[in-house]
Amino acid sequence: LDCSLVPAAGAATAVALTTCCKDRLEVLDVSFCREMGDELLGLLADGCPNLRALSCFGCSKASRTFLDGHSNQNLVVSGLGGVTMTC
């Protein structure tokens, strides 16, 4: 699902995705969604167990705290700190 460059994508978007799409969502791009920080990315990572790829280039509120804090062991995160991380 490509949500990149959607300025309004934030808490309501994360809650909607984890509520309505949690079992089907496998790939998500929230690049340059400036409201997507550690807490919301963590909600998505933990709330969508089938999420395998998350792009978060330009998410300036996201940090290493998100990478170290979520429980989705199969998630590959790209764009955070300019590196791709398998968590």
Side-chain angles (χ1 to χ4, degrees):
L1 179 63
D2 188 354
C3 294
S4 62
L5 297 169
V6 178
T13 302
V15 169
L17 289 172
T18 57
T19 301
C20 300
C21 304
K22 68 178 181 178
D23 294 324
R24 296 183 309 261
L25 190 61
E26 296 179 9
V27 177
L28 179 62
D29 187 347
V30 292
S31 296
F32 301 99
C33 295
R34 303 288 185 196
E35 296 304 312
M36 290 289 177
D38 293 331
E39 187 175 326
L40 296 179
L41 293 172
L43 174 67
L44 289 164
D46 293 339
C48 299
N50 295 319
L51 187 62
R52 300 292 173 251
L54 177 64
S55 296
C56 51
F57 291 92
C59 293
S60 54
K61 293 183 179 181
S63 71
R64 183 85 200 175
T65 300
F66 157 64
L67 290 176
D68 295 337
H70 72 82
S71 63
N72 188 336
Q73 297 301 313
N74 297 313
L75 182 61
V76 174
V77 177
S78 59
L80 188 57
V83 296
T84 298
M85 301 288 293
T86 302
C87 303

